[in-house]
């Protein structure tokens, strides 16, 4: 991208970010709440415009690796086995979708983003259904114009979008007592990538405990069906495929504590380099401890949406492996919960994504690299701030008073755990 074009696009993204921020925190602008068809039209138009600007500039994982997964499926090969290590380490749900997208005959940089784009429009609807009725239209608008989904979905084309949409749909179904549907949607979300298992505690929080076995039974069905399909459709060697499936580790040394360690020369970047294995093991332990503490401390105090947001924020705070698309995970949930602390994260995370996609990724440099690492510390601080600490103070809300956006109490609200 030329310098002038980059500056223009940066200015546009800053304008979009300002619009999202204004509609969240500034008096009269907070009343901006168009009807759903208008919001969806704006959301679609913005995403198509970003896709057009990003043509031939899509990051290589989507432009090359994801295309290769679809080509492997069309050739009845297992992406886990035919792609280089770490290019694909998940169940074949999305490779099957990529094969369908390739079959459209559209250029891959357009076809490969069709599923994420459609899923993100579904998320735009779902944030309204999970918010309080009086906030539904405004929350949908805020999500539609927020720059972080625009970049992750339309610029990058990452598969976080279908994972988020399916996870939110699972919460929606559980909140409405559709236990089996909620479990199936949760299983589908976890079939897209591994991280949507973070939706599971929230789904359980919205489900009466006597129905938890049904959630578990229906949630395992999609992964099992996908595993069963692999020898039939892809000719998989299941032993080898399962070993590759379990070997994934995150991209190390660009975020948080591992980023600082890399700047100090103690750890490599990406999937290789010195001392990555020990740091990955430390990171896994830190993630498990952090998530366990969040569930233990906040379970009695939060509903399913709040609990899921807290889990995702905790993951981002302590994780050793990171991709910029991870910043999208809690965005919809934080918009549903609302509050100025949520918008501190939403604003800083958007700024980090703008810098990564439009400055660092096209032209990496030592200076930009340092900005990225130290900028991650600010985003992590914002994620810590956005955790629902006020729920730990009994005097912060009179007994029985729920937050203005929460759904009616679930059966679990009456059952101590």
């Amino acid at each position: 991208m030329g310098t002038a074009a980059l500056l223009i696009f940066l200015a546009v993204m800053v304008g979009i970010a300002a619009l999202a921020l204004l509609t969240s925190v500034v008096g009269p602008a907070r009343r901006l709440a168009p009807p759903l068809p208008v919001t969806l039209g704006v959301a679609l138009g913005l995403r198509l415009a970003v896709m057009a600007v990003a043509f031939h500039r899509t990051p290589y994982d989507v432009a090359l690796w994801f295309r290769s997964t679809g080509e492997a499926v069309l050739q009845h090969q297992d992406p886990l086995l035919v792609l280089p290590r770490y290019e694909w380490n998940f169940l074949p749900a999305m490779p099957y979708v990529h094969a369908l997208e390739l079959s459209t005959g559209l250029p891959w940089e357009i076809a490969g983003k069709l599923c994420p784009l459609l899923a993100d429009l579904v998320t735009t609807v779902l944030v309204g259904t999970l918010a309080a009725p009086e906030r539904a239209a405004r929350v949908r608008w805020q999500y539609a114009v927020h720059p972080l989904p625009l970049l992750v979905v339309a610029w990058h084309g990452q598969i976080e979008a279908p994972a988020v949409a399916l996870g939110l749909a699972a919460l929606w179904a559980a909140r409405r007592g559709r236990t089996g549907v909620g479990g199936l949607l949760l299983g589908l979300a976890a079939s897209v990538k591994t991280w949507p298992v973070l939706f599971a505690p929230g789904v359980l929080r919205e489900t009466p405990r006597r129905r938890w076995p049904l959630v578990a039974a229906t949630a395992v069905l999609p992964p099992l069906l996908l595993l069963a399909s692999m020898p039939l459709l892809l000719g998989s060697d299941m032993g080898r495929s399962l070993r590759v499936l379990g070997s994934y580790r995150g991209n190390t040394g660009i975020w948080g504590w591992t980023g600082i360690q890399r700047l100090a020369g103690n750890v490599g970047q990406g999937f290789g380099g010195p001392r990555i294995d020990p740091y990955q093991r430390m990171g896994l332990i830190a993630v498990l401890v952090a998530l366990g503490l969040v569930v233990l401390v906040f379970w009695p105090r939060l509903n399913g949406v709040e609990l899921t947001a807290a889990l995702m924020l905790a993951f981002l705070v302590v994780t050793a492996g990171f991709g910029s698309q991870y910043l999208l995970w809690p965005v919809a949930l934080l918009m549903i919960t609302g509050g100025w602390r949520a918008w501190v994260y939403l604003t800083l995370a958007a700024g980090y994504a703008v810098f990564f996609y439009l400055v660092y990724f096209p032209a990496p440099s030592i200076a930009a690299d340092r900005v990225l690492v130290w900028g991650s510390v600010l985003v992590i601080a914002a994620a810590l701030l956005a955790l629902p600490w006020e729920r730990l103070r009994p005097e912060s809300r009179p007994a029985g008073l729920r937050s203005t956006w929460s759904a009616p109490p679930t059966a679990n609200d009456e059952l101590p755990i």
Side-chain angles (χ1 to χ4, degrees):
M1 179 183 291
T3 302
L6 175 61
L7 290 174
I8 292 171
F9 192 68
L10 276 170
V12 171
M13 294 307 296
V14 169
I16 291 171
L19 179 61
L21 190 60
L22 281 171
T23 58
S24 67
V25 298
V26 177
R30 294 184 67 182
R31 291 194 288 271
L32 183 58
L36 180 58
V38 173
T39 297
L40 285 177
V42 171
L44 177 60
L46 286 173
R47 282 149 182 78
L48 290 175
V50 174
M51 282 174 59
V53 176
F55 195 69
H56 293 325
R57 302 181 183 94
T58 299
Y60 56 83
D61 53 355
V62 172
L64 301 176
W65 299 357
F66 287 9
R67 179 188 179 105
S68 296
T69 69
E71 291 171 342
V73 168
L74 292 175
Q75 296 166 13
H76 305 289
Q77 296 177 321
D78 187 350
L80 289 168
L81 302 180
V82 299
L83 269 66
R85 192 180 187 192
Y86 302 127
E87 288 191 11
W88 189 260
N89 285 80
F90 310 107
L91 290 168
M94 289 309 298
Y96 291 159
V97 173
H98 295 156
L100 290 173
E101 290 172 330
L102 280 170
S103 299
T104 64
L106 295 170
W108 171 249
E109 286 191 71
I110 295 174
K113 296 177 181 178
L114 291 178
C115 178
L117 186 150
L118 293 174
D120 206 44
L121 295 179
V122 172
T123 294
T124 305
V125 176
L126 285 171
V127 293
T129 65
L130 288 167
E134 65 273 13
R135 294 182 62 241
R138 179 157 57 90
V139 170
R140 286 194 299 260
W141 175 256
Q142 289 168 351
Y143 187 84
V145 300
H146 196 272
L148 189 48
L150 288 176
L151 288 169
V152 173
V153 173
W155 187 279
H156 196 167
Q158 260 289 353
I159 57 177
E160 313 307 304
V164 168
L166 288 166
L168 290 175
L171 285 170
W172 176 87
R175 178 167 285 185
R176 282 153 182 77
R178 302 177 185 179
T179 306
V181 174
L184 283 172
L185 290 167
L186 177 62
L188 283 171
S191 299
V192 171
K193 292 184 79 171
T194 307
W195 70 263
V197 298
L198 295 175
F199 281 99
V203 171
L204 293 176
R205 186 66 182 86
E206 297 289 343
T207 304
R209 284 197 289 180
R210 67 181 182 276
R211 295 183 182 174
W212 285 8
L214 179 58
V215 173
T218 51
V220 300
L221 282 177
L224 289 177
L225 289 173
L226 285 166
L227 286 170
S229 75
M230 290 164 62
L232 298 174
L233 300 180
L234 306 177
S236 303
D237 178 335
M238 290 305 296
R240 290 178 59 207
S241 296
L242 290 174
R243 284 193 293 274
V244 174
L245 194 64
S247 70
Y248 179 73
R249 62 189 185 196
N251 197 335
T252 301
I254 62 172
W255 173 263
W257 61 275
T258 59
I260 295 171
Q261 287 293 322
R262 182 173 62 80
L263 292 182
N266 296 327
V267 66
Q269 180 174 357
F271 299 114
R275 295 177 59 79
I276 276 189
D277 286 337
Y279 280 110
Q280 285 285 0
R281 285 192 289 270
M282 290 167 56
L284 178 59
I285 293 170
V287 164
L288 293 176
V289 170
L291 298 181
L293 286 174
V294 167
V295 172
L296 182 66
V297 172
F298 287 109
W299 178 280
R301 298 169 172 85
L302 305 182
N303 64 30
V305 171
E306 295 169 312
L307 181 61
T308 307
L311 288 168
M312 292 179 179
L313 292 168
F315 182 100
L316 290 172
V317 168
V318 301
T319 185
F322 171 81
S324 291
Q325 66 270 17
Y326 294 9
L327 296 171
L328 182 65
W329 297 1
V331 167
L333 298 158
L334 289 176
M335 288 185 178
I336 294 165
T337 62
W340 71 269
R341 293 183 297 107
W343 276 92
V344 173
Y345 171 86
L346 292 169
T347 302
L348 289 177
Y352 186 96
V354 167
F355 183 84
F356 176 83
Y357 285 116
L358 303 183
V359 178
Y360 174 82
F361 194 86
S365 67
I366 294 176
D369 185 71
R370 290 181 176 275
V371 171
L372 201 66
V373 172
W374 292 112
S376 74
V377 176
L378 292 176
V379 181
I380 287 169
L384 277 170
L385 179 69
L387 285 167
W389 302 111
E390 74 279 3
R391 297 302 185 92
L392 300 181
R393 301 194 301 269
E395 71 276 8
S396 64
R397 290 187 305 164
L401 180 64
R402 300 179 65 85
S403 61
T404 57
W405 60 271
S406 296
T410 68
N412 281 328
D413 293 327
E414 307 300 326
L415 298 173
I417 187 167

